[in-house]
Amino acid sequence: MTSPASSPRAPGCVSDLELDELLAGDLAEQPREAVLRAHVDGCARCRARLAAFSAVEPPPAATMLPRVVRAAATPRRVTRWRLAAALMTLGAAAALFAVRLRPRGEPGAGPEERTKGSLALVVFVKRPSGVVDIVTGGGTLHPGDEMRFGLAAARPGYAVVLGLDAAPSVTVYAPYAATGAAAPPIRLERAGTTTLPGSIIADATAGAERIVAVVCEAATAPEALRARALAALTAASGDPARVSSLGTGCLESSVLMRKEARPR
Amino acid sequence: MSGWHGLDRVYELHSRSVYRRALQLLGDAEEARDATQEVFVRVMRAGGAVPADPTPTAWLYRVTTNLCLNRLRDRTRQQGLLASKYTVDAEVRPAGETRAAVAQVLARVPEDLQDVAIYFFVDGLTYDEIAPLLGVSRRTVSNRLSAFRDLMARLFPETRSAS
């Protein structure tokens, strides 16, 4: 099964792993890099192997990363993240918190999460205790919890995050406009992962709330998307859990949060 | 590296080697894509941190190899893989007609012997290269390969001794 993906190693030649390390830059400025480079430069076979390796095209990040984020939320296990670095995305300065990946529901198909196209919404929920839950399928929200939003998008565009509750009402969560003035959608310069600026503090209103991220190719006014969301919510009899799509024609991904009183 | 922002960077640097490794072992582009996704899901669940010891690529290589071996539990496919991969080596030179038998053996051996055998026979790595990759001593690598060879010799006495 020899192919560009594999290459029998001749005696004295560098291994596949070493070729991969060279290409990934793992050995930068290490003495071993110079040794391996010298061998490759003088070995036609290894040069050909290196060229074949570098020609391998992995799945594009733009399509893979949203899949990874959604798959990471499968309910197989709960992982406790101990890295403060992960919290830098939450603007948590140098504080050390435990971060929990809180899986709820099957990715992309369950009743709680609804995704159209290659977009994944992640909700970072910071509890008063300092623990941060990373929610991608659905989760629970208590009064005083602080939410921030992350997106893994397959393409650049303009992002808006909306909150649909059972009032029924729709609130623009991002972009955040402190003065109530109309704010433009948030520009995503490139495909990949982004943490949106600003945070939302949960109020004491109980019930379901669907948080929907929309990424459009063209800059679409948040107010226009809010109107679409309100129409969709009305069509669902005011039940956020029953809203499957806003019908925007853009990338959409949502998380269903259940707001309830904090356990005593 | 953060679990969220860092994922982009980790993917950019290492997705090619992960996918290549998966394609090498699985021989199927669609399965290799799935395996690649699975590897990066593990990275994200681990907080986006890829251990740098011995190198990030080596750590991902090991994770990818283990995941692919899990996918290759199907005995028929395992046999096919090893039958085609059990190449002539300076230390082990099984006759061509015994390769299928070797593949059958590998399908029966414990997991901790399987990955050593893959690294040694398929990848052509040396004991010294396998040891840090698996986080074990060189002696452990040697012992596991000896156990593998013993098993092979017991089940297939016609197979030539490995050393």
Side-chain angles (χ1 to χ4, degrees):
Chain A
M1 194 164 56
T2 298
S3 70
S6 64
S7 56
R9 180 188 194 181
C13 285
V14 300
S15 67
D16 287 2
L17 173 59
E18 288 169 327
L19 291 175
D20 281 327
E21 288 173 330
L22 282 174
L23 287 171
D26 283 358
L27 308 176
E29 300 178 6
Q30 292 182 23
R32 193 156 70 93
E33 181 183 38
V35 172
L36 295 176
R37 291 272 180 210
H39 174 88
V40 171
D41 288 346
C43 175
R45 181 186 180 88
C46 286
R47 278 201 309 278
R49 292 168 64 211
L50 188 66
F53 279 27
S54 64
V56 171
E57 293 189 7
T63 55
M64 179 59 80
L65 290 182
R67 290 174 55 182
V68 167
V69 171
R70 285 197 294 272
T74 54
R76 285 179 293 179
R77 65 181 180 184
V78 174
T79 301
R80 177 168 287 272
W81 288 9
R82 299 183 184 280
L83 292 179
L87 292 166
M88 290 173 66
T89 60
L90 303 175
L96 292 174
F97 300 111
V99 179
R100 292 180 292 182
L101 179 62
R102 178 60 60 84
R104 297 287 168 94
E106 287 298 325
E112 296 185 323
E113 181 201 30
R114 303 194 189 282
T115 297
K116 178 183 180 183
S118 295
L119 175 69
L121 168 66
V122 177
V123 181
F124 302 95
V125 182
K126 183 179 175 184
R127 315 295 185 185
S129 64
V131 168
V132 177
D133 287 331
I134 299 179
V135 180
T136 58
T140 303
L141 206 57
H142 306 299
D145 287 346
E146 181 179 359
M147 292 187 291
R148 291 199 66 178
F149 308 110
L151 297 177
R155 66 184 190 210
Y158 296 86
V160 171
V161 177
L162 305 159
L164 288 64
D165 63 29
S169 68
V170 178
T171 305
V172 178
Y173 284 158
Y176 174 68
T179 63
I186 298 167
R187 170 87 171 129
L188 303 180
E189 297 287 347
R190 59 180 181 81
T193 56
T194 305
T195 303
L196 302 182
S199 63
I200 300 294
I201 305 296
D203 61 23
T205 306
E209 176 164 355
R210 182 172 294 284
I211 298 170
V212 184
V214 182
V215 173
C216 299
E217 288 187 278
T220 305
E223 188 55 33
L225 294 174
R226 195 187 76 82
R228 293 295 295 260
L230 189 56
L233 184 59
T234 302
S237 303
D239 183 358
R242 293 178 54 198
V243 175
S244 59
S245 170
L246 305 189
T248 60
C250 304
L251 300 180
E252 295 180 13
S253 178
S254 72
V255 169
L256 186 64
M257 305 298 290
R258 303 184 192 287
K259 296 166 68 178
E260 56 190 42
R262 190 175 303 281
R264 291 185 179 274
Chain B
M1 247 180 277
S2 76
W4 181 244
H5 283 156
L7 192 61
D8 271 0
R9 183 66 177 152
V10 171
Y11 193 84
E12 179 187 356
L13 288 175
H14 299 291
S15 59
R16 186 200 46 74
S17 63
V18 168
Y19 176 70
R20 185 202 62 74
R21 177 62 167 169
L23 191 58
Q24 175 191 14
L25 293 177
L26 298 171
D28 179 86
E30 187 60 36
E31 281 206 65
R33 274 192 291 273
D34 289 346
T36 300
Q37 174 180 323
E38 205 171 340
V39 170
F40 284 95
V41 165
R42 290 201 178 189
V43 170
M44 184 169 175
R45 284 178 171 154
V50 178
D53 184 20
T55 64
T57 297
W59 185 84
L60 289 165
Y61 207 74
R62 183 182 176 189
V63 171
T64 306
T65 299
N66 289 340
L67 285 172
C68 290
L69 289 179
N70 287 340
R71 286 172 172 263
L72 287 168
R73 292 290 178 238
D74 178 322
R75 297 298 170 90
T76 302
R77 296 187 57 201
Q78 272 190 340
Q79 290 171 12
L81 172 75
L82 265 299
S84 63
K85 287 292 190 180
Y86 196 89
T87 54
V88 174
D89 182 272
E91 296 183 63
V92 181
R93 299 177 183 277
E97 64 268 20
T98 66
R99 289 181 186 173
V102 171
Q104 290 171 14
V105 171
L106 196 73
R108 300 179 197 179
V109 301
E111 289 183 24
D112 63 339
L113 301 188
Q114 276 193 14
D115 55 5
V116 168
I118 289 284
Y119 291 131
F120 189 74
F121 296 116
V122 175
D123 298 316
L125 297 182
T126 65
Y127 290 11
D128 288 331
E129 291 169 329
I130 294 171
L133 191 59
L134 293 178
V136 299
S137 68
R138 186 184 188 283
R139 181 160 188 82
T140 299
V141 172
S142 174
N143 289 341
R144 289 181 185 177
L145 281 170
S146 292
F148 170 77
R149 289 167 176 144
D150 289 345
L151 187 58
M152 187 168 66
R154 191 165 68 248
L155 294 175
F156 297 91
E158 72 277 14
T159 301
R160 191 168 159 178
S161 174
S163 55

